[in-house]
Structure formats: structure tokens, C-alpha cells
């Protein structure tokens, strides 16, 4: 018996086949046609537009920063490698690192640098301790607390020039309120606080502490108010005293804020200029001449712009190191948590 095999040819209406030739699955030359697969999805159209809109919104704030901060900084760094001096007809020459070599042997600059460190630390540490105590006091449920909080930030609302003029009147040797109080109490005839070699720097440090306390107090008070009261109540129920509650509950909660504000205060105080300039102008005998004051005198009193720019580069390097140490400490603290 002979078997006959019938081969069914796919037609145009065959649901399992297709048209032969170009329209069939075989295609030209019998090669199978590649199946269509979707590619990776692109970014949504709204997101792309949102990113561009965000850049347009940032530009009005970014352009002044580039023009007024980044540009002068780069120009100052370039100026430090020149012999730029005052004078319209004087030409400026590239001298490489000669300004920095002279700076290494400038004892007056390093004396001002030492005074700047003493000033920065002497203001920052007491300022933080006093502000912490004041913030803890203002966080209590006291009568007229709103008035005390308003009075605590009064120095913050005053410009540094006004603060300097006001404290010069306080320290006035003849009619100042400080010397008048000393005379009324029978403690002596008073003294000239801002011109004495031994009292000028401590007197200026005291003004710096008073002027910078409000911002530290406000920052610490915000951290205290964000601490859950339930933790204090639970610690009190466990028999913890005030010091133990502060050490185990309060301090861990405000520690990040305390480190941040202390680092910023140290940098700001090291860069101080206006307050000390109004109080003493760097005197007497350079006892309060901070690095910023020294660079200002070199640039605008003696016309040594290149040399003053080199001083500015050194101070920028020191501030960068302080910022790097702070950021490393913050990152390590984040990893530990």
C-alpha cells in the first residue's frame, strides 16, 4: 500500500502560516524575519522638561555666585603668582612662587596667623558653651520666655560696625560704662582696655563672644526643641538625673548641630575683619592684627596686591583643611550610625 503525503501550502487566510515571498515568515531568500522587541524606555518627557526648568530656576542664583565669588577667587589665586602693585602705569609680571617664598620668612604674617588662631578658638569655645547654657535655659517653660528669646537675638540683628562702635564706647577710658562701674564699686580708676598690650586681645575676644552668641543659641535651641520629650520623661522615670539626661538624651540629639555650628563659627571667626578693624584696627603694636587685617594693610595701605593675594591663598588653604576635617568627621560619624 502506497502512502501519499499531502503538503498543505499556507495561504493568505491560513491562521498558522502567512503569505509567501516578501509577506511570509520566510521573507526573501527564506530568512526568518526578526521579531520586534521594545527597546529600553527613554526618560519621560516631563522629567526632561523638569530638569531643564530646574536649571533655569537655579541660574539666577548661580550666576551671581560665579561672578561675585568664584571669579574673584580664581583671579586672586592667579594674582598671587604676580608682582601686582598699586599704580596705573605699573606693569604686572609673572613671578611664580616668589610671593609664597617671601611669605614663609615673614614673621609678622605668622604672628598675625597665631593671633588669628588664638582669636578664633578663644571666641568659638566660650561662645559655644555660653550659647548652650542659654539655649537650655530658653528651652525651659519659663514666664516671659518669648521676651527672653527676643532679647537673646538682639546682637545678631546689629551690624558688626555698629557693634564695634558701641563697644568702643563701653571700653572708653574716660566716660565708658565699664570704667565708670569700676570706679563706682571702688575697684580702681579703670584702664584703657583697647590700647593696653595685655588687655586689647581679651577685650576684643569678649566682644566677639557677645556678638556671635545669638546664632549659636538659635541653632542649638532648634535642636533642643526637636528632641522628643518622651525620651526625657522616660529617662526621668528610670531615675536619671539632670546631668545624665543631658549626656544620654540631649547631647546625642543636638550633637550634629553642635558640630556643624562650631565648625562654621571657627571659620567665620578666623576670617573676621570688620569687628576687630572698628575696635582696634589691629593695634596696639599688632596685638590684635588678624590675618585678614594684615592682608588688607598689605593690599590697600602699602599697595602690594600680589603679596596680599598670596596671604589670601594661604588662608583659603587653611579653611579648606578645616572644612575637610569637619566633613571627614561627619562622614565617619554617619558610618558609625
Amino acid at each position: 500500500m502506497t502512502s501519499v503525503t499531502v503538503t498543505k501550502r499556507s495561504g493568505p487566510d491560513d491562521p498558522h502560516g502567512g503569505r509567501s515571498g516578501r509577506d511570509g515568515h520566510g521573507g526573501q531568500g527564506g530568512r526568518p524575519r526578526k521579531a520586534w522587541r521594545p527597546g529600553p524606555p527613554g526618560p519621560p518627557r516631563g522629567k526632561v522638561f523638569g530638569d531643564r526648568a530646574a536649571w533655569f530656576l537655579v541660574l539666577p542664583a548661580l550666576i551671581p555666585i560665579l561672578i561675585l565669588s568664584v571669579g574673584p577667587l580664581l583671579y586672586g589665586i592667579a594674582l598671587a603668582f604676580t608682582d601686582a602693585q598699586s599704580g596705573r602705569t605699573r606693569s604686572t609680571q609673572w613671578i611664580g612662587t616668589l610671593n609664597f617664598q617671601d611669605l614663609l620668612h615673614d614673621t609678622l604674617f605668622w604672628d598675625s596667623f597665631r593671633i588669628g588662631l588664638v582669636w578664633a578658638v578663644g571666641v568659638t569655645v566660650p561662645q559655644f558653651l555660653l550659647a548652650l547654657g542659654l539655649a537650655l535655659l530658653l528651652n525651659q517653660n519659663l514666664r516671659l520666655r518669648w521676651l527672653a528669646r527676643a532679647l537673646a537675638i538682639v546682637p545678631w540683628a546689629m551690624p558688626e560696625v555698629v557693634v564695634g562702635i558701641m563697644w568702643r564706647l563701653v571700653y572708653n577710658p574716660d566716660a565708658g560704662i565699664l570704667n565708670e562701674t569700676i570706679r563706682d564699686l571702688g575697684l580702681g580708676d579703670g584702664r584703657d582696655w583697647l590700647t593696653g598690650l595685655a588687655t586689647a586681645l581679651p577685650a576684643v575676644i569678649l566682644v566677639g563672644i557677645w556678638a556671635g552668641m545669638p546664632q549659636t543659641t538659635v541653632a542649638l535651641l532648634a535642636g533642643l526643641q526637636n528632641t522628643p520629650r518622651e525620651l526625657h520623661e522616660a529617662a526621668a522615670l528610670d531615675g536619671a538625673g539632670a546631668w545624665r539626661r543631658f549626656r544620654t538624651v540631649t547631647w546625642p540629639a543636638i550633637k550634629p548641630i553642635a558640630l556643624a555650628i562650631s565648625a562654621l563659627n571657627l571659620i567665620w571667626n578666623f576670617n573676621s575683619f570688620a569687628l576687630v578693624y572698628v575696635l582696634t584696627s589691629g593695634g596696639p603694636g599688632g596685638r590684635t592684627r588678624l590675618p585678614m587685617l594684615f592682608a588688607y594693610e598689605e593690599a590697600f595701605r602699602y599697595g602690594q596686591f600680589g603679596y596680599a593675594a598670596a596671604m589670601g591663598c594661604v588662608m583659603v588653604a587653611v579653611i579648606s583643611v578645616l572644612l575637610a576635617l569637619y566633613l571627614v568627621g561627619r562622614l565617619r560619624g554617619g558610618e558609625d550610625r
Side-chain angles (χ1 to χ4, degrees), residues 35-298:
W36 177 82
R37 295 181 181 178
R45 186 174 182 180
K47 185 177 184 303
V48 175
F49 178 76
D51 293 342
R52 294 177 180 176
W55 275 108
F56 281 113
L57 293 175
V58 170
L59 279 178
L62 186 61
I63 291 176
I65 292 175
L66 294 175
I67 296 176
L68 302 177
S69 296
V70 179
L73 176 63
L74 297 178
Y75 178 72
I77 293 174
L79 201 66
F81 296 92
T82 67
D83 62 347
Q85 298 181 12
S86 61
R88 297 180 59 183
T89 60
R90 184 176 181 86
S91 60
T92 300
Q93 304 294 329
W94 182 270
I95 59 174
T97 60
L98 186 60
N99 285 329
F100 295 95
Q101 295 175 17
D102 294 339
L103 200 60
L104 290 176
H105 302 91
D106 192 342
T107 57
L108 293 177
F109 173 74
W110 294 113
D111 285 343
S112 72
F113 198 87
R114 176 184 55 81
I115 293 171
L117 291 178
V118 172
W119 153 268
V121 176
V123 171
T124 302
V125 175
Q127 187 181 90
F128 173 78
L129 296 177
L130 294 174
L132 178 60
L134 183 59
L136 291 172
L137 180 63
L138 295 178
N139 195 44
Q140 303 299 319
N141 191 13
L142 304 174
R143 294 182 60 184
L144 299 178
R145 183 175 59 177
W146 61 271
L147 180 60
R149 290 180 176 179
L151 293 176
I153 64 174
V154 167
W156 198 7
M158 302 173 63
E160 287 188 333
V161 174
V162 176
V163 172
I165 294 173
M166 182 185 71
W167 276 91
R168 285 195 67 173
L169 297 175
V170 172
Y171 285 136
N172 187 279
D174 299 323
I177 187 174
L178 180 58
N179 282 342
E180 288 292 333
T181 303
I182 291 175
R183 295 188 189 102
D184 292 341
L185 295 176
L187 300 177
D189 295 332
R191 59 194 308 171
D192 197 346
W193 300 95
L194 294 178
T195 59
L197 295 177
T199 59
L201 185 58
V204 173
I205 287 176
L206 179 62
V207 179
I209 294 171
W210 182 85
M213 263 184 58
Q215 59 187 5
T216 308
T217 302
V218 170
L220 295 176
L221 182 59
L224 291 173
Q225 291 182 337
N226 288 330
T227 305
R229 292 189 177 273
E230 293 80 6
L231 298 178
H232 291 277
E233 295 173 357
L237 291 176
D238 291 340
W243 169 247
R244 187 176 178 183
R245 290 200 303 270
F246 173 79
R247 184 170 53 87
T248 59
V249 177
T250 304
W251 177 248
I254 66 172
K255 184 178 179 180
I257 298 175
L259 293 176
I261 194 65
S262 298
L264 291 175
N265 284 339
L266 187 64
I267 294 171
W268 287 334
N269 291 327
F270 185 77
N271 286 329
S272 293
F273 174 80
L275 184 63
V276 181
Y277 183 78
V278 173
L279 284 170
T280 62
S281 297
R287 295 300 177 92
T288 60
R289 185 187 290 131
L290 304 182
M292 282 292 180
L293 283 172
F294 194 85
Y296 170 81
E297 291 179 351
E298 288 292 326

